Amino acid sequence: MKVLINAGPWLAVPPPGYGGIENVVATLVPALRERGVEVVLASVASSTLEADELIAVYDEGQFAELQKPYNQVMGIAHAHQARVAAELRARDDIDLVHDHVEVVGPAVLAALGGPPVLHTLHWDLRKHPAFYGAFPRSIAVNGVSDSQLARAPEALRAASLGSVHLATPLAGQDVRAERGEHLVIMGRICGLKGQHVAARICQKLGLPLVVAGPVCGRDSQAELDVVLQDPYHPLHSHPDVRCHLDQVSRYLDGDLVRWIGAVGGQERDELYASARAALFPIQWDEPGGTAVVEALALGVPPVGLRRGCLPEIIDHGRTGFLADTEEELAEYVQRVDEIDPEECRREARRRFSPGVMADRYLDLYDRVLRAD
């Protein structure tokens, strides 16, 4: 089987730092190739993931351009998708397209009428109601959790083949570090991730917390000050910047609660693996939960609010804790030593390894091809 996997033009695969969809693709492709699938990767030229072919319009990821007004950047995704369409028109050896590009991907591919398509939904499905409310019947989709699909419009649910939980390469490794006293919250700083809740709880309980993640691509206060000191800077009023300034920074003291910006690679793994627990006080219905899966794989008990995909990933009382309120979350934070780290690792290997995800996608590919 030869599959074109469309990762989009926003970040390289794998991404140099933060990057959700691109990390998913970087996890999936090697496992598919181990199973004999040939992969044509549609990304940017700086992608280093080993694939059978790479097609690209842009040399580098275009994510930073998204901060500009829409009328200046609206052509980026379309230029990338036009390149994908041209590739599909020029050859007849692509059996299936596995698309990960929001809206533009399925819109163009449905109009093209080329090979069968599976489109993976990575985001909040309350967006784009007009498009999702009349979703193209020729495109099959999958979600990244059952809870995500349960909130989808009827037309989108009708096109769905089910959900495939996200995976992490860490589930097949044995990354360990000496356990410290700190807790960690990992991810892009924004109101939805709840860093302000985690910081408030830890300040109140006197527990050390490391906040790891970028603020609009900025990884230090000095970088943020450049934005804040210029009222005409395009990021000055960005919701993530305001969230950090108004809600998170009040709890940062550089000692008990520290913000360290984005971390990646071995530094990220060691920070996570040495933590007593990973906190997920999410303020929305999280669709996928990559960071939760990574915590389990590293033997770090996740403690979060009972929202979105978290109840599908965390077995309450066995591999982590789920709370219904901030007060309850604070109680569970103090009970994390009751969770066996080895049980977390075993669960990650069993449910969230790259091979498990690849096998699930191969099943969906087969269903798409048989239905074509």
Side-chain angles (χ1 to χ4, degrees), residues 77 161 237-238 299 335:
L161 300 182
S237 299
H238 192 283
R335 294 176 51 188

Side-chain angles (χ1 to χ4, degrees), residues 162-224:
S163 63
V164 181
H165 286 132
L166 302 178
T168 173
L170 295 170
Q173 303 171 14
D174 191 24
V175 178
R176 295 174 184 266
E178 183 176 349
R179 187 57 48 90
E181 291 300 317
H182 68 278
L183 310 177
V184 67
I185 181 167
M186 190 86 65
R188 175 174 65 93
I189 309 295
C190 65
L192 298 179
K193 299 292 186 181
Q195 283 92 351
H196 60 293
V197 176
R200 182 164 58 232
I201 288 173
C202 288
Q203 277 283 7
K204 186 181 298 183
L205 296 177
L207 297 173
L209 175 69
V210 178
V211 181
V215 181
C216 283
R218 275 60 181 175
D219 293 318
S220 71
Q221 191 59 49
E223 292 180 16
L224 267 183

